[in-house]
Amino acid sequence: MPDTYEILTPDTVVDYVARDPVLAAVLPPERVGEVREVGDGNLNLVFILSATDGPGLVLKQALPYVRLVGPDWPMTPDRAAKEAEALRSHGALAPTLVPALYGYDTQRHILAMEDLSDHEVWRRALNRGDRHEGVATDVGVYVAHVAFGTSVFGMPADAQKAALAAAVNPELCEITEDLVLTEPTRPAGRNSVLPANEPDAQELIDDAATVREMGWLKWQFMTQAEALIHGDLHTGSIMVRGAANGVPRSTKIFDSEFAFYGPVGFDLGLAYANYVIAAARAFALGEDARARWALGLLDETWQAFDATFRALWPDRVDARVFTEATLEDFIAKVAVDGIGFGAAEAMRRIVGLAKTADIETLPDALREGAARGVLRASRMMATTRHTDPVAASIAARAGDILLASCTR
Ligand code: SR1
Ligand code: MG
């Protein structure tokens, strides 16, 4: 990794685009309107260059450290190359659901992508109380295409092995192994909760059955190279646009820098967890109907995954032993895994370093019950998924737990 490289600023991005013939063709410098740095994630710089007419351009640059913490936490900027590869691979499999990639600058770790200014981050829309219909279906469709198309089911064995080797992403996986799959139940100094939730966090640590499940999930994450998964598919990694004025609704899944060959259930689980968290917020605010709607997204995503994966199955590359029984076994495995990884993601978003605006922006008096509900629901998810791996059923039980915890 080079020690230094040019870091873009709002003052230098237009010149950067002008110097690159491919990018200058997408957005000629004379058409650049406003330039804004909008990165609100935990890792990167993101610039939106709007155009004086029509769509603009997005530049995303990986910093050599974790933005959330600063230079004290160095992080390979080569993660941007993993994201570029995932965007190419996933974009080929689900073109309407992934932003277009215009180019990748290997020296400066900059991705140039489609301007999605007419979309917004789904988490923000959820937090405002908006209900975008169909997005959860799109998530399931995307996960299924990626699960099939990048796996040994959808690729020749030699090409799949080459893709797997190229996607090894140890630094970003280590973040997940620590923050998602270790620290919630075996705390590090980075954890924090409201004083009122300290007993809830301790109950989690003392819950041997949940700790056992976390050990198994971490092992699965580290060893089960099923497909080139997104790796960070929470509601902040999804952009949405509602239908209006003849423009159709749209979903775009982005921010795939955590992509690697891992278990398919991880992507479903991250979506599930963030639906549960959205429901916790809604219950805390007394919006029970909206909370139930958010919980319904688990089944919506699962059904879309299930139907899409089954529809792709006839195209598998090797039907000699990958039979209908293999299909049933694989889908059954993903169902159980998804709920388990959802449990891990939900609990880490309450006690761990990287929390969610859904819960954090609630007043403390409401946040306490919402956080308690998510922790209790996630323990239920982790420990009952083997006997009840049905997304709709888990969602209903999570709803009862959240409602009871949020009711003061
Ligand atoms: C230090 S990075 C923290 C989190 O932000 C990313 O979006 C991932 O979710 C990661 O776990
Ligand atoms: Mg991200």
Side-chain angles (χ1 to χ4, degrees):
M1 184 195 350
D3 289 331
T4 57
Y5 53 92
E6 177 189 359
I7 303 286
L8 297 178
T9 72
D11 294 330
T12 62
V13 281
V14 179
D15 180 56
Y16 173 77
V17 170
R19 289 187 334 243
D20 183 315
V22 173
L23 301 187
V26 174
L27 183 59
E30 65 276 10
R31 283 186 41 227
V32 175
E34 195 189 5
V35 174
R36 287 177 299 140
E37 200 285 303
V38 297
D40 65 352
N42 295 323
L43 292 165
N44 307 297
L45 297 173
V46 180
F47 297 92
I48 298 180
L49 288 75
S50 65
T52 48
D53 55 339
L57 177 67
V58 169
L59 299 178
K60 174 174 174 180
Q61 183 170 36
L63 293 165
Y65 53 83
V66 173
R67 183 177 183 168
L68 174 68
V69 173
D72 287 347
W73 188 351
M75 184 55 54
T76 174
D78 282 339
R79 62 187 186 266
K82 305 300 179 197
E83 182 169 354
E85 188 43 41
L87 282 169
R88 284 193 194 104
S89 168
H90 296 178
L93 294 165
T96 62
L97 298 174
V98 177
L101 177 68
Y102 299 134
Y104 175 57
D105 179 339
T106 53
Q107 249 89 61
R108 298 174 191 79
H109 313 285
I110 298 168
L111 297 140
M113 293 184 287
E114 180 181 2
D115 177 18
L116 295 173
S117 297
D118 58 348
H119 292 60
E120 75 171 317
V121 174
W122 194 18
R123 189 186 301 286
R124 275 188 223 140
L126 287 165
N127 285 349
R128 221 181 27 244
D130 288 1
R131 298 186 197 188
H132 285 264
E133 302 295 349
V135 182
T137 295
D138 292 339
V139 171
V141 168
Y142 164 85
V143 174
H145 277 288
V146 167
F148 184 85
T150 66
S151 72
V152 294
F153 300 134
M155 291 177 82
D158 53 352
Q160 186 272 349
K161 287 181 177 68
L164 188 157
V168 171
N169 196 359
E171 293 90 348
L172 280 280
C173 283
E174 189 183 2
I175 292 178
T176 304
E177 288 153 18
D178 289 344
L179 291 188
V180 183
L181 296 162
T182 304
E183 295 179 10
T185 52
R186 284 288 177 270
R190 297 186 283 204
N191 286 1
S192 63
V193 289
L194 289 173
N197 287 126
E198 275 166 15
D200 305 298
Q202 190 59 45
E203 268 180 34
L204 174 61
I205 291 164
D206 294 340
D207 180 351
T210 295
V211 173
R212 178 178 182 172
E213 294 298 325
M214 287 284 277
W216 192 252
L217 289 160
K218 181 169 178 176
W219 175 81
Q220 288 191 279
F221 181 85
M222 296 175 81
T223 61
Q224 296 187 339
E226 295 172 353
L228 179 59
I229 65 172
H230 179 285
D232 197 24
L233 190 47
H234 55 83
T235 52
S237 297
I238 301 167
M239 304 281 282
V240 296
R241 181 185 70 199
N245 306 321
V247 178
R249 72 169 193 84
S250 165
T251 303
K252 298 286 183 187
I253 296 172
F254 71 115
D255 231 4
S256 47
E257 68 212 301
F258 284 78
F260 80 115
Y261 265 80
V264 168
F266 189 79
D267 279 352
L268 292 173
L270 260 64
Y272 291 170
N274 286 275
Y275 303 158
V276 168
I277 288 168
R281 175 183 175 85
F283 274 129
L285 293 171
E287 298 173 32
D288 295 8
R290 194 164 61 79
R292 295 286 176 190
W293 171 85
L295 289 165
L297 301 177
L298 279 85
D299 186 51
E300 187 181 325
T301 290
W302 171 256
Q303 296 299 340
F305 169 80
D306 181 84
T308 307
F309 197 89
R310 286 177 190 281
L312 292 166
W313 190 248
D315 292 333
R316 64 198 180 281
V317 293
D318 184 355
R320 292 171 303 172
V321 289
F322 294 151
T323 64
E324 296 306 313
T326 315
L327 171 65
E328 297 308 323
D329 290 345
F330 182 72
I331 287 189
K333 175 192 186 293
V334 174
V336 176
D337 293 354
I339 297 164
F341 287 118
E345 164 75 357
M347 59 182 76
R348 77 87 171 223
R349 294 290 183 189
I350 299 300
V351 302
L353 174 71
K355 295 182 164 59
T356 67
D358 316 39
I359 305 297
E360 296 305 293
T361 59
L362 289 169
D364 283 2
L366 302 183
R367 194 172 136 203
E368 175 192 336
R372 180 171 301 123
V374 173
L375 291 181
R376 289 182 177 170
S378 59
R379 289 167 58 198
M380 176 277 293
M381 290 166 68
T383 55
T384 65
R385 67 202 169 101
H386 302 287
T387 50
D388 183 12
V390 179
S393 158
I394 289 283
R397 289 196 283 133
D400 294 343
I401 293 169
L402 294 175
L403 181 60
S405 303
C406 290
T407 306
R408 286 157 304 135

